[in-house]
């Protein structure tokens, strides 16, 4: 994929990784729609602000009508409530699923026909190392990201024959406002944005963006004992 010839839409582009992704695309010559619930919050020169709430199907439909020339869709918008599955607030758990799973589903259903009409293209879903690994305190987020990864695999099969490649990016904690209260090693979101765009430019299906994600991926083949050794420590 030649990024300079693409017309991209990045959801959640007003801050964090989304803003860095939009900026990286601009630097490589792409036309960029920057989606956000409050378009006035987008302060990146050169993008086209687009009002978009991915949890609202009417908003998604309006965005698809406005940005009907898109050839590259990046599903980045997300939420992180910190809700646990056992005793967390059910509204927060629903929010995680509505954002990461149903929101991504709505976006792809709305924009896949557009990409097909425009000759094909790429969809990049911003996933997480927590797509593969559950951590205490992030049960709802992990479940939603795991569902989003499964959705990604399903759409790879469904959209491949239509000349639409569906990619996923896996990454651990990034240094953004969403993780400001988390005490853990964090990677630079600008660097992750560069890795992500490099990955779709080389037509990668799975982009493993940091050491943490790479290690967890390697452990998956070892089963439960490799991924969750604490269960076998007694």
């Amino acid at each position: 994929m030649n990024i300079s010839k693409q017309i991209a839409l990045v959801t959640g582009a007003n801050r964090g990784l989304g803003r860095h992704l939009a900026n990286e695309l601009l630097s490589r010559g792409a036309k960029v729609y920057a989606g956000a619930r409050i378009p006035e919050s987008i302060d990146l020169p050169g993008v086209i602000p687009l009002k978009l709430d991915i949890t609202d199907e009417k908003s998604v439909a309006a965005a698809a009508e406005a940005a009907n020339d898109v050839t590259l869709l990046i599903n980045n918008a997300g939420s992180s409530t910190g809700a646990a599955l056992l005793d967390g607030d059910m509204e927060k758990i629903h929010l995680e699923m509505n954002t990461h799973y149903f929101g991504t589903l709505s976006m792809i259903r709305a924009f896949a026909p557009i990409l097909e009409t425009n000759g094909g293209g790429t969809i990049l879903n911003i996933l997480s190392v927590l797509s593969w690994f559950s951590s205490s305190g992030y049960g709802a987020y992990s479940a939603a990201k795991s569902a989003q990864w499964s959705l990604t695999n399903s759409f790879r099969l469904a959209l491949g024959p239509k000349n639409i490649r569906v990619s996923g990016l896996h990454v651990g904690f990034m240094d953004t406002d969403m993780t400001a209260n988390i005490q853990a090693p964090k990677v630079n979101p600008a660097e992750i944005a560069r890795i992500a765009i490099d990955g779709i430019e080389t037509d990668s299906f799975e982009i493993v963006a940091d050491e943490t994600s790479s290690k967890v991926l390697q452990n998956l083949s070892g089963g439960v004992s490799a991924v969750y050794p604490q269960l076998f420590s007694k």
Side-chain angles (χ1 to χ4, degrees), residues 46 94 123 132 145 160 210:
H94 279 291
I123 297 169
W132 297 326
K145 282 298 186 182
D210 65 344

Side-chain angles (χ1 to χ4, degrees), residues 76-224:
N76 165 76
S79 61
S80 180
T81 66
L85 291 177
L86 183 61
D87 55 5
D89 187 320
M90 284 297 292
E91 288 189 7
K92 292 182 178 180
I93 295 171
H94 279 291
L95 174 62
E96 299 282 21
M97 292 299 295
N98 287 337
T99 304
H100 298 291
Y101 182 78
F102 289 108
T104 301
L105 176 62
S106 293
M107 287 295 296
I108 294 177
R109 285 165 62 105
F111 278 89
I114 292 173
L115 267 66
E116 183 179 10
T117 297
N118 292 334
T122 295
I123 297 169
L124 174 64
N125 293 333
I126 304 302
L127 302 172
S128 170
V129 66
L130 295 176
S131 308
W132 297 326
F133 174 80
S134 291
S135 175
S136 59
Y138 298 96
Y141 182 88
S142 295
K145 282 298 186 182
S146 183
Q148 189 184 25
W149 180 46
S150 180
L151 172 152
T152 299
N153 287 320
S154 294
F155 273 121
R156 283 174 179 148
L157 299 174
L159 297 179
K162 302 179 185 293
N163 196 32
I164 299 172
R165 181 178 296 271
V166 182
S167 301
L169 179 130
H170 297 267
V171 62
F173 292 125
M174 291 177 285
D175 190 10
T176 66
D177 55 356
M178 187 178 286
T179 65
N181 295 323
I182 297 174
Q183 300 301 315
K186 301 171 188 177
V187 292
N188 184 345
E191 176 65 10
I192 299 304
R194 183 191 65 77
I195 292 170
I197 305 307
D198 283 348
I200 59 175
E201 194 164 38
T202 56
D203 295 331
S204 298
F205 278 111
E206 208 85 273
I207 304 166
V208 182
D210 65 344
E211 184 178 349
T212 299
S213 300
S214 180
K215 183 177 180 180
V216 171
L217 177 58
Q218 291 172 6
N219 286 343
L220 289 179
S221 61
V224 174

Side-chain angles (χ1 to χ4, degrees), residues 63-78:
E65 184 175 350
N68 59 12
D69 53 349
V70 164
T71 59
L72 170 58
L73 170 64
I74 300 184
N75 289 309
N76 165 76

Side-chain angles (χ1 to χ4, degrees), residues 42-63:
I42 298 169
D43 62 356
L44 186 61
V47 301
I48 303 169
L50 184 67
K51 183 177 177 59
L52 175 60
D53 178 351
I54 68 168
T55 66
D56 181 337
E57 290 194 8
K58 290 183 179 179
S59 178
V60 171

